[in-house]
Amino acid sequence: MTHIIADISVSLDGFVTGPDPGPENGLGTGGEPLHTWAFSDDPDDRRILREATARSGAVVLGRHLFDVVDGPGGWDDTTGYGAGEVGKPAFVVVTGSRPDSVRLTGLDWTFVTTGLADAVATARGRAEAASAAAGRDLDVVLMGGGALIGSALDAGLVDSLTLHLAPVVLGTGTPLFPGRAPRSLVQRSVTPTSTATHLTYDVL
């Protein structure tokens, strides 16, 4: 069965980027430590990243995040989805308009201009098709940004939430929960590593 999983790194004070994020500064000023765990040699970090990448049948991201990963300093042949894992599921971008061009033409991009719910439905269809082809269950992963994940939680589109809690205080930036955190979360697992604490919640 295909599940919808929101998966994002966050600081101790609740930010998913530092201040002033943009296409050439995706994690904002001082935000790089949020993703230290994804490039670490800690065996649990590597396992968590590998398993998450392997289960991804389709990935949903917002237009701002697409502009970062498709920009000149974004993903390349050695570092793509899943950091060093370089996963290549279908990617579904929620956007107001299609980009004029795409740099990463070797990846499978679908641009949905009719809203988040339609993008998640499109991704679910792609993940279910990938599951049938692979002979095992694959999921839809919402990789961000923070506003997309918050909106998906508010809309009831998410089955589980995985947070990679980095031991850094940013003070400002892009908050994951600008109002309040969802109340319908039940903790399923906690995995502390040398670089982060990985928490998974079921969304009721």
Side-chain angles (χ1 to χ4, degrees):
M1 181 178 178
T2 294
H3 293 93
I4 311 299
I5 300 170
D7 188 305
I8 196 164
S9 298
V10 62
S11 69
L12 291 174
D13 50 348
F15 295 102
V16 297
T17 76
D20 303 318
E24 297 181 5
N25 189 29
L27 290 173
T29 303
E32 291 80 6
L34 291 170
H35 285 181
T36 296
W37 73 271
F39 299 94
S40 120
D41 292 327
D42 185 291
D44 281 326
D45 286 331
R46 301 311 309 166
R47 174 185 57 79
I48 287 166
L49 188 65
R50 183 173 58 252
E51 290 175 355
T53 305
R55 74 166 184 255
S56 301
V59 175
V60 179
L61 63 157
R63 177 58 186 271
H64 291 306
L65 184 52
F66 167 79
D67 288 342
V68 171
V69 302
D70 193 57
W75 292 346
D76 57 28
D77 290 338
T78 59
T79 302
Y81 178 68
E85 298 297 322
V86 196
K88 293 188 177 180
F91 294 94
V92 178
V93 181
V94 187
T95 181
S97 60
R98 295 177 56 87
D100 294 331
S101 63
V102 175
R103 179 179 66 87
L104 296 170
T105 56
L107 298 179
D108 180 354
W109 297 103
T110 299
F111 298 92
V112 175
T113 60
T114 52
L116 177 58
D118 286 346
V120 171
T122 297
R124 184 187 290 276
R126 298 299 302 273
E128 289 173 347
S131 297
R136 58 189 177 90
D137 289 338
L138 298 172
D139 297 320
V140 173
V141 176
L142 310 185
M143 67 175 283
L148 182 145
I149 287 179
S151 295
L153 287 165
D154 289 343
L157 299 173
V158 178
D159 295 314
S160 68
L161 171 66
T162 296
L163 299 178
H164 309 285
L165 186 63
V168 59
V169 175
L170 295 176
T172 186
T174 305
L176 178 57
F177 303 119
R180 58 174 177 79
R183 297 185 181 186
S184 54
L185 301 179
V186 176
Q187 191 174 86
R188 187 198 316 161
S189 66
V190 179
T191 305
T193 70
S194 60
T195 60
T197 300
H198 306 278
L199 305 114
T200 297
Y201 300 87
D202 292 322
V203 181
L204 303 182

